[in-house]
Each structure stands twice: as structure tokens, then as C-alpha cells.
Amino acid sequence: MLYSVDVLRCHSDIIMMRESCCMTENTTKTSIIGRKSPWATRLWAFGLAASVFLYLGGVSVRADDVDAASKLYNGNALYNMKVYSAAMAEYRAFLAANSQHAKADEARYGLALCLYGVGKHNEAEPLFRELQKSSIIPDKQRIAVLLGECVRKLRGSAEADPIFDAATTLPGTNTYYRNMALAYLVDGRFSLAKWKEAAEAADKALKILPAGDLAVRTAYQGAYARYQLAEMDAAAVGFEALLNSITNTPLEGQVAFLWGESLREGGKAKASEAAYLQAA
């Protein structure tokens, strides 16, 4: 059996979980900030408030609730601008005074996203766990994926596996998080050398994932898992199919070599010659 090779690990940071960028899908444009015109300032403030209103699904403000609502508005506005430290202060101030408020879970959600964004996974984890039970936060799939990522970073893929597995079937408003759940499930099992489970998860994911980096990574991991299971025919099919997506890239030679090895070890030495030529 060939020694373990993980050709995609070398650029996994490019492929996997760019969440610090993707968390701010509704980011408010702030190019007006700093202009002298009072009308520009008013337009910016109006647009910012409107974007926060849409983000929250609307916050009903009573006369005696202005201070609480303003903290929630401010927290979301700052989050949208990626000013996470200041946003966290606003969310915490809101929760300190309004822990039973109807919108408290929205503040906890914003706080959890900020903590995740600055890498404080140990603080974000309990908030995401609490939010899984919330009746007013709809993004259960997103919450599960981010919880799984916190657990993975803190304690490893084995503990995160059931979280990602469950996340693949949760309701969500954005297929990005479903795709990330599928990819993380394969990635975790692959990293733990759980080859059978990784191969099965990859087969499932590849029926759903769109073409792109995640699909390439998942296809490689699935084919390599089959290779480790000595399922040489399936591995050869997987590596050959993958080559169509990575032609003229640095990965082509490595994958072509593994295709050749799969063919050779599967008793198809003659057929492996073309693969080795492509790898050369």
C-alpha cells in the first residue's frame, strides 16, 4: 500500500471554511462614512438602520425600550462592518440589562458570531449550543456548522463529527452551510483515517456539492479513502474523474500518479501506463 499522501492539505486554508468572510453576507456598504455632507450622513444612517432591520427581521421598539433596542441596532451595525470588539460590547450591554428580552437570542446570536469571528471558539461554543434551542433564530444549519467548527478547533474532529452529521439535514436559509457541513463531515473522517465512513460521506456529498473547490477536495478524499480500503477499481474511477477538474494545475501530476497506482495495484498494469505518463 502506498504511503499516506494528502495532496490537498497543502492548500486547505484556501478551500475550507472562509467563514470570517462569509459570516458578513449582509455587510452594509460604508463608503459614505466620513463625508462632510449632513445629507450623506443621514442617508448612511438610514441605510444602516434599514439593513439592520432586515437582518433582524424587524425589531419592535416601544417608547420605554429605546435604549435596549439601540444597543441591539448598534451591535448589528458594528457586526455588519466587522467591528467585532465594539459589537460584542453592545451585545453584552444589551444582554446584561435584558437577558429575558424577546430579542435576547438575537443578541446572543450576534455575540456568538462575533466571538467566532475573532477566534474565541471556547466562548462562542456555549452560545451556539444555547441557540440550537432558540425558537426565534431560524438558521439552525448555520448554527450547527459553526458549533461543529468550534468543537473541531477546540477538541478535534471526533467530537465534531456527529454535529456536522446532524447539520447536513437541518433546515437552513443558505446552501453554503449545508455544503460546508457535508465537506466538514468528509474532512473530519478523512483526518481520523476512518476510511469507510469517509468514502461513504464523500459519495453522499458529491451528489449534492456544486462544482468548485469543495467538490474537488471531497472527490480526492473519497477516492483516496477507497484506495486505503484497497477498493482499487473504485479508487481508479474516482481519481480519473477528478483529473477532469484539475487539468493544468499543480495537483494534476499527484492525482494522475495515484490513478496509476490504483490501476496497477488493481491488476491493470497496462492501463496504468497512460496514467503514469500524465503524472510525469
Side-chain angles (χ1 to χ4, degrees):
M1 188 68 67
L2 185 68
Y3 57 86
S4 178
V5 179
D6 185 356
V7 298
L8 297 189
R9 290 289 179 191
C10 64
H11 65 290
S12 61
D13 289 342
I14 298 173
I15 294 178
M16 292 298 291
M17 205 58 170
R18 300 167 218 175
E19 184 58 35
S20 61
C21 297
C22 295
M23 282 193 302
T24 53
E25 296 158 47
N26 299 317
T27 301
T28 303
K29 304 271 184 201
T30 57
S31 58
I32 301 175
I33 295 176
R35 293 186 182 178
K36 299 293 184 181
S37 166
W39 284 106
T41 303
R42 290 173 192 171
L43 285 170
W44 170 78
F46 177 81
L48 185 60
S51 73
V52 173
F53 183 88
L54 290 171
Y55 177 79
L56 291 177
V59 175
S60 178
V61 183
R62 302 188 305 271
D64 61 350
D65 204 26
V66 172
D67 184 58
S70 68
K71 286 182 171 59
L72 196 53
Y73 281 133
N74 291 343
N76 281 276
L78 291 162
Y79 166 78
N80 284 343
M81 293 186 289
K82 303 183 185 180
V83 188
Y84 296 138
S85 295
M88 285 190 284
E90 294 289 343
Y91 289 133
R92 283 177 167 141
F94 175 91
L95 290 168
N98 305 278
S99 62
Q100 302 304 312
H101 193 281
K103 299 293 181 180
D105 278 352
E106 291 178 1
R108 292 185 184 97
Y109 192 21
L111 178 58
L113 291 173
C114 288
L115 289 165
Y116 182 94
V118 298
K120 294 186 176 181
H121 303 105
N122 59 321
E123 295 181 48
E125 179 191 350
L127 288 170
F128 285 131
R129 288 192 184 278
E130 185 176 356
L131 288 165
Q132 287 186 307
K133 299 174 285 187
S134 173
S135 61
I136 66 169
I137 303 297
D139 294 336
K140 293 298 190 291
Q141 194 167 59
R142 184 188 192 190
I143 289 168
V145 169
L146 298 182
L147 170 61
E149 181 61 352
C150 288
V151 170
R152 186 186 71 82
K153 288 179 180 292
L154 291 169
R155 296 185 294 280
S157 294
E159 188 173 336
D161 182 270
I163 300 172
F164 290 129
D165 196 9
T168 63
T169 58
L170 287 173
T173 58
N174 189 331
T175 57
Y176 171 83
Y177 296 102
R178 177 206 62 193
N179 295 343
M180 292 310 304
L182 290 165
Y184 268 124
L185 189 62
V186 178
D187 194 65
R189 293 173 179 183
F190 185 89
S191 69
L192 294 168
K194 297 174 70 173
W195 304 122
K196 185 175 186 296
E197 292 86 348
E200 291 171 350
D203 289 345
K204 176 184 175 181
L206 289 170
K207 294 176 182 177
I208 299 171
L209 291 176
D213 286 345
L214 281 181
V216 167
R217 180 183 179 89
T218 301
Y220 169 79
Q221 291 172 325
Y224 191 77
R226 296 292 181 193
Y227 180 85
Q228 290 290 343
L229 291 166
E231 297 176 6
M232 297 306 172
D233 287 346
V237 169
F239 287 127
E240 183 179 14
L242 180 58
L243 283 168
N244 295 327
S245 302
I246 58 172
T247 302
N248 298 321
T249 72
L251 296 174
E252 182 181 7
Q254 184 71 62
V255 172
F257 177 77
L258 289 169
W259 175 34
E261 288 290 276
S262 300
L263 289 169
R264 182 183 62 79
E265 293 191 33
K268 300 176 181 177
K270 184 66 177 177
S272 70
E273 293 176 4
Y276 289 133
L277 285 173
Q278 188 171 348

